Amino acid sequence: MTPPLSRRGVLAGAASIGVGGAALGATATQAQARAQAAEPRGAGKAVVFRDVRPFGARESVDLTVVDGKFTDGPAPANARIVDGGGRIALPSLVDAHIHPDKTTWGSDWISRKPADGIADYCEQDVEVFRTQKRPVGERAYGLMSHAVTRGTRAMRAHADVAPAYGLAGVEGVAQARERLADALDVQIVGFPQHGVVRTPGTAELLRTAARDGLVDMVGGIDPISFDNAMDEQLDLLFGLADRYGVGVDIHLHDRDEKGTKVLRGIIERTRSLSLRGKVTVSHVFCLPMLKDAELASMAADLSDLDIALTTVAPSADLVLPIAKLKEHGVRVGLGSDGVRDSWSPFGNADMLHRAHILGWVTDIRLDDELTACYAAGAHGGADVMGLPRVEFKPGDPADFVLLRGEGVPQVVVDMPQRDVVVHRGHVVARNGELV
């Protein structure tokens, strides 16, 4: 996790969220789409969402959903009907970096103490863990279900692994994932917040989690500045990934040459172990500090090995230069980080709010820039998690939200209520509540 940081900024660039002209044109001419889910709630497998405006299109259309995917074929005669009432339809958002195991969401207020560095925050994490009346699974479920009601379709959840907790964080988040299986896709990262090397016993817990299939990825944190053992940490993590077939997602906060040295070490091991597409680096505060030529060189290597990145948009000088990285084909996702935990009293697991924050800290004002903020939260996160994008084209997953608004830029600024949330073709939330 990342300590709270101040806000200031300039825009790093803009990108487009929209579907291609042909696809949007097909929708605008009343072509329908279809999708489905496993429908465990007993809902029919075909649903028509009537009178909706994909991406804020001027003319409303009907979207047909069969078996969890959009289609341009006719709606089956027995299809259920959901009236969209002229609402905008937008892709559901993806939280590419969140820590639901730490949250006090739904609990009594906790007063935080001064902290000076990651070690102090870790001590307070342990205190919160020991004093919370509700177990991790309950707290994580409360936060993750709230995220669903705000239009989140998927999240990558980092859960602390350390001797102070054992695997309680991983197990608690897994329990919440199971309870929300019909509404939310979740990847779990076993995250060694206390350090892989500096905290004895952590490496063995990570090995157990990877070997027993309890996690989808293993994490790391600042191999030089916090663990003080770059090669030992990276060799261990990449060795686990290679042996047990899990991914890697490493927190990297260093802003100087230590950060770029670690990044080069990650690139080298990804190449040597043929882990292309299975590695993510989170935060990566060193990249915004690079000059254009250095950034281009690093981005080319990241793209070549399909190493993904995530940002939580903490401030203008630390948010990743998303547009420049995308020019090189680097996958970049947006996340909400910690929520109401010992690190910060702030956070709400609302990815539309996080897209708003991305625009706020980078001081943007143009419509295409605001649209790019939504794209970072929707398409960017999907890319990082290896999920198909939602562009309302035939075959796309029917994961979307319906809300009142004029268009994507205005939605990013005003953050209207998500009136209807659809996952795999069935309604999972209405008016801020799970159904």
Side-chain angles (χ1 to χ4, degrees):
M1 251 177 81
T2 309
L5 293 158
S6 61
R7 154 199 178 282
R8 54 189 182 276
V10 296
L11 179 69
S16 172
I17 186 180
V19 296
L24 185 55
T27 307
T29 59
Q30 299 291 322
Q32 299 173 328
R34 77 179 182 178
Q36 126 167 341
E39 300 297 355
R41 300 170 188 271
K45 293 190 176 183
V47 186
V48 176
F49 293 87
R50 284 188 172 163
D51 190 18
V52 300
R53 298 184 294 124
F55 297 106
R58 186 166 298 179
E59 298 294 328
S60 64
V61 301
D62 296 343
L63 299 174
T64 304
V65 174
V66 177
D67 292 340
K69 294 182 174 62
F70 292 113
T71 181
D72 56 3
N78 63 345
R80 291 185 300 120
I81 305 298
V82 176
D83 184 5
R87 289 174 175 82
I88 294 176
L90 292 177
S92 296
L93 293 150
V94 176
D95 194 329
H97 186 104
I98 186 172
H99 294 261
D101 65 311
K102 296 177 185 284
T103 192
T104 63
W105 187 267
S107 300
D108 294 338
W109 180 260
I110 63 169
S111 296
R112 290 142 188 95
K113 302 173 183 177
D116 183 19
I118 292 175
D120 286 351
Y121 286 110
C122 289
E123 289 183 10
Q124 294 187 35
D125 279 341
V126 174
E127 183 177 347
V128 168
F129 174 79
R130 291 174 176 169
T131 57
Q132 282 293 297
K133 298 177 182 178
R134 296 183 301 146
V136 172
E138 287 296 324
R139 290 183 281 115
Y141 173 79
L143 182 64
M144 292 159 68
S145 61
H146 173 77
V148 170
T149 68
R150 270 52 185 174
T152 294
R153 66 183 276 220
M155 63 172 54
R156 180 173 289 175
H158 294 254
D160 278 14
V161 171
Y165 320 111
L167 295 174
V170 167
E171 292 165 350
V173 172
Q175 291 166 9
R177 173 171 66 179
E178 179 63 24
R179 292 175 67 181
L180 291 165
D182 297 336
L184 182 69
D185 298 324
V186 181
Q187 294 174 353
I188 299 177
V189 183
F191 174 51
Q193 179 79 79
H194 296 190
V196 177
V197 178
R198 66 182 283 158
T199 305
T202 300
E204 188 54 41
L205 286 168
L206 286 173
R207 184 174 292 106
T208 298
R211 182 195 64 210
D212 294 351
L214 303 178
V215 296
D216 302 290
M217 313 185 83
V218 290
I221 180 168
D222 298 330
I224 296 176
S225 63
F226 187 63
D227 235 358
N228 301 310
M230 185 185 91
D231 289 336
E232 187 176 352
Q233 182 190 128
L234 294 183
D235 287 347
L236 173 72
L237 297 179
F238 279 82
L240 293 176
D242 183 46
R243 180 171 183 178
Y244 298 113
V246 296
V248 178
D249 191 330
I250 295 178
H251 286 51
L252 184 57
H253 303 106
D254 296 314
R255 312 180 192 186
D256 53 17
E257 65 278 357
K258 291 192 293 293
T260 54
K261 181 178 180 179
V262 170
L263 202 50
R264 287 295 179 194
I266 291 171
I267 289 170
E268 291 168 6
R269 286 165 175 82
T270 303
R271 180 181 290 114
S272 64
L273 293 174
S274 300
L275 292 176
R276 187 180 190 279
K278 299 191 67 173
V279 177
T280 301
V281 190
S282 297
H283 306 306
V284 212
F285 292 157
C286 59
L287 283 185
M289 308 300 169
L290 298 180
K291 295 180 180 179
D292 286 347
E294 296 173 298
L295 178 63
S297 175
M298 189 73 79
D301 287 339
L302 294 171
S303 177
D304 180 57
L305 294 167
D306 197 19
I307 295 173
L309 309 176
T310 65
T311 183
V312 299
S315 64
D317 54 346
L318 294 178
V319 67
L320 290 175
I322 297 174
K324 291 181 179 179
L325 290 165
K326 287 178 66 177
E327 289 175 0
H328 291 274
V330 180
R331 293 179 289 141
V332 185
L334 185 65
S336 56
D337 209 11
V339 178
R340 305 270 177 98
D341 53 26
S342 67
W343 294 63
S344 173
F346 296 102
N348 55 17
D350 184 338
M351 284 303 297
L352 179 54
H353 184 222
R354 186 59 52 168
H356 175 101
I357 289 173
L358 176 61
W360 181 276
V361 301
T362 51
D363 194 27
I364 64 170
R365 53 188 293 274
L366 302 181
D367 282 2
D368 63 339
E369 296 169 336
L370 291 164
T371 300
C373 292
Y374 198 93
H379 299 335
D383 292 346
V384 168
M385 288 188 63
L387 302 173
R389 291 186 175 191
V390 178
E391 297 177 315
F392 301 99
K393 296 186 295 187
D396 287 354
D399 292 354
F400 61 99
V401 297
L402 299 178
L403 43 72
R404 297 287 186 184
E406 300 176 56
V408 179
Q410 175 262 329
V411 164
V412 170
V413 171
D414 289 344
M415 299 176 289
Q417 174 178 277
R418 271 75 350 134
D419 296 333
V420 177
V421 180
V422 180
H423 188 67
R424 299 178 191 156
H426 61 263
V427 175
V428 295
R430 286 184 182 271
N431 302 321
E433 300 290 338
L434 287 181
V435 300

